[in-house]
């Protein structure tokens, strides 16, 4: 699986206002070959695009004229859209609302959406987080396919990326930091690559509200069983506050009458560096076909977790439960826990 970068063969339009941006998009998305929109430095607010006609749009690339002085947005909303690539923009909705569970990037019922080389910033300075406020979420991808999120910085949100019912998803070469909850979380996923991300120093003051997990896959409220997942070559670490690193479980497993009550399938967790202080370094439950290879799990003695008001520390380990066809090799870890009868 490799999502090809969107390119266009149509004209380039340079614009400087939100109204011009919308007009340029409507023009190019309806033109054979699409085109490129170049954004002069400035404030563009929220970009809201929704196709009510069920058309397939021509490819459009939207990018800043000067990556060192990027165009600034408060959020993006794409529904029933296709073939959009966003490059080198800066997104910050802090001044438009905090704690209302809003999203700075929302993609639903869409295909071939790409966001690259951009910055998503929220609550810089941690003014709201330090006051105990659950801040907003960075991104949600829902019921969509061929989604690429590459080379971005995500800083200061409640959650980094959430994904529900997605086919073909690539999260690669991003930096996630200062997150209150999970860095990546999702279920009902097919063909997922999470590779070469630097996910570090999550906010993580109190592990009970919320519970920090850097990368999490679940089965609850999903329509399909997750399959074909690769989590590779990521750096998952913390400085002074611990968190779970990689956690995968199907909460629906074994429930009678539930079509998603079976095992997740074909999961590869390879080449990751984990430096943390939670027992769940790599935790995998309810998976058939697991490769865990060449991961390094190191204990960070400077990091702790606050559980029910008490600071605690654990050496991260590899733990598999109710899983089949397991291959575990060349890992560095304090401990490996596998189902009875499994040699890994």
């Amino acid at each position: 699986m490799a999502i090809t970068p969107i390119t266009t063969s149509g004209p380039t339009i340079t614009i400087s206002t939100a109204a011009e941006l919308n007009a340029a998009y409507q023009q190019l998305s309806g033109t054979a070959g699409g085109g490129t929109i170049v954004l002069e430095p400035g404030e563009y607010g929220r970009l809201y695009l929704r196709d009510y006609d069920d058309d397939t749009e021509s490819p459009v690339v939207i990018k800043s004229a000067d990556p060192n002085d990027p165009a600034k947005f408060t959020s993006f909303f794409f529904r029933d859209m296709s073939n959009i690539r966003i490059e080198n923009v800066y997104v910050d909705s802090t001044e438009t609302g905090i704690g209302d569970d809003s999203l700075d990037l929302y993609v639903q019922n869409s295909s071939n959406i790409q966001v690259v080389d951009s910055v998503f910033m929220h609550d810089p300075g941690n003014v709201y987080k330090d006051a105990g406020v659950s801040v907003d979420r960075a991104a949600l991808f829902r019921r969509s396919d061929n989604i690429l999120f590459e080379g971005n910085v995500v800083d200061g949100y409640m959650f980094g990326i959430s994904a529900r019912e997605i086919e073909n998803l690539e999260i690669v070469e991003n930096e996630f930091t200062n997150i209150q909850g999970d860095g990546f979380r999702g279920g009902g996923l097919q063909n997922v690559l999470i590779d070469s991300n630097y996910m570090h120093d999550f906010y993580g003051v109190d592990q009970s509200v919320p519970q920090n997990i850097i990368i999490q896959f679940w089965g609850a409220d999903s329509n399909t069983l997750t399959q074909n997942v690769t989590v590779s070559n990521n750096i998952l670490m913390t400085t002074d506050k611990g968190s779970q690193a990689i956690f995968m479980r199907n909460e629906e497993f074994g429930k009678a009458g539930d079509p998603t009550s079976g095992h997740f399938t074909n999961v590869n967790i390879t080449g990751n560096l984990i430096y943390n202080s939670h027992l769940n370094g790599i935790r995998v439950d309810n998976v058939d076909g697991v490769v865990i290879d060449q991961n390094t799990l190191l204990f960070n003695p400077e990091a702790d977790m606050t559980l029910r008001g008490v600071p605690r520390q654990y050496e991260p380990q590899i733990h598999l439960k109710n899983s089949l066809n397991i291959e575990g090799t060349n890992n560095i870890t304090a401990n490996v826990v596998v189902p009875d009868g499994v040699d890994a």
Side-chain angles (χ1 to χ4, degrees):
M1 179 186 70
I3 296 176
T4 303
I6 293 173
T7 58
T8 72
S9 58
T12 296
I13 301 175
T14 300
I15 59 95
S16 60
T17 69
E20 291 174 348
L21 170 57
N22 279 279
Y25 178 80
Q26 296 305 322
Q27 175 185 335
L28 295 176
S29 64
T31 301
T36 300
I37 301 172
V38 177
L39 307 166
E40 295 287 3
E43 304 282 346
Y44 289 86
R46 184 190 195 204
L47 179 59
Y48 181 101
L49 297 175
R50 184 173 182 179
D51 181 6
Y52 293 92
D53 299 322
D54 198 28
D55 297 328
T56 298
E57 293 79 22
S58 295
V60 175
V61 175
I62 301 172
K63 64 181 184 179
S64 292
D66 182 2
N68 295 316
D69 188 9
K72 296 178 174 61
F73 291 82
T74 57
S75 62
F76 292 95
F77 180 101
F78 302 139
R79 184 166 181 174
D80 304 308
M81 302 302 297
S82 59
N83 302 320
I84 298 172
R85 182 177 174 91
I86 306 293
E87 297 181 8
N88 293 120
V89 301
Y90 184 94
V91 185
D92 183 0
S93 67
T94 303
E95 299 305 317
T96 64
I98 287 285
D100 57 0
D101 201 33
S102 61
L103 292 150
D104 283 5
L105 173 61
Y106 182 73
V107 177
Q108 180 173 330
N109 299 340
S110 296
S111 179
N112 208 19
I113 305 296
Q114 304 180 359
V115 180
V116 301
D117 299 331
S118 296
V119 174
F120 290 78
M121 179 69 68
H122 197 64
D123 186 27
N126 296 333
V127 173
Y128 292 95
K129 288 189 285 293
D130 286 347
V133 175
S134 294
V135 297
D136 298 331
R137 297 174 289 167
L140 172 60
F141 305 132
R142 189 173 184 181
R143 294 196 296 270
S144 298
D145 63 84
N146 295 303
I147 304 297
L148 174 65
F149 193 84
E150 179 178 11
N152 304 291
V153 175
V154 180
D155 187 335
Y157 291 84
M158 175 65 177
F159 300 120
I161 291 177
S162 302
R164 308 296 297 263
E165 308 302 332
I166 304 295
E167 183 175 354
N168 300 332
L169 172 66
E170 293 188 11
I171 311 294
V172 295
E173 298 181 357
N174 304 284
E175 179 180 1
F176 295 77
T177 189
N178 199 24
I179 305 296
Q180 276 183 312
D182 301 344
F184 173 87
R185 61 205 309 260
L189 307 176
Q190 320 291 311
N191 309 323
V192 179
L193 176 64
I194 301 177
D195 181 79
S196 300
N197 299 282
Y198 179 34
M199 309 175 84
H200 65 100
D201 299 306
F202 281 22
Y203 188 78
V205 169
D206 188 332
Q207 299 300 312
S208 60
V209 184
Q211 176 176 292
N212 287 119
I213 304 176
I214 299 180
I215 297 174
Q216 177 177 198
F217 295 85
W218 64 59
D221 300 319
S222 298
N223 297 323
T224 55
L225 280 165
T226 291
Q227 63 179 351
N228 304 329
V229 173
T230 296
V231 179
S232 56
N233 307 313
N234 301 285
I235 298 174
L236 313 177
M237 64 179 296
T238 186
T239 299
D240 58 358
K241 294 300 178 183
S243 58
Q244 300 178 71
I246 301 172
F247 188 94
M248 174 176 284
R249 179 178 65 184
N250 183 9
E251 299 88 341
E252 305 303 302
F253 187 85
K255 292 186 179 180
D258 188 335
T260 63
S261 63
H263 288 89
F264 297 162
T265 56
N266 190 23
V267 171
N268 293 270
I269 301 174
T270 60
N272 300 286
L273 172 60
I274 295 169
Y275 184 56
N276 220 311
S277 62
H278 195 290
L279 202 61
N280 288 335
I282 299 174
R283 175 66 186 259
V284 177
D285 296 0
N286 318 124
V287 177
D288 186 354
V290 189
V291 174
I292 300 180
D293 181 50
Q294 296 188 10
N295 300 283
T296 300
L297 287 69
L298 303 176
F299 174 58
N300 179 1
E302 303 300 321
D304 61 37
M305 306 163 295
T306 303
L307 299 174
R308 291 178 289 279
V310 179
R312 306 187 189 191
Q313 292 179 315
Y314 304 94
E315 290 187 283
Q317 66 177 9
I318 298 172
H319 188 171
L320 296 101
K321 182 179 179 181
N322 189 33
S323 294
L324 309 170
N325 297 308
I326 299 167
E327 180 181 336
T329 54
N330 305 310
N331 298 289
I332 299 174
T333 180
N335 192 29
V336 177
V337 179
V338 296
D340 291 342
V342 173
D343 182 17

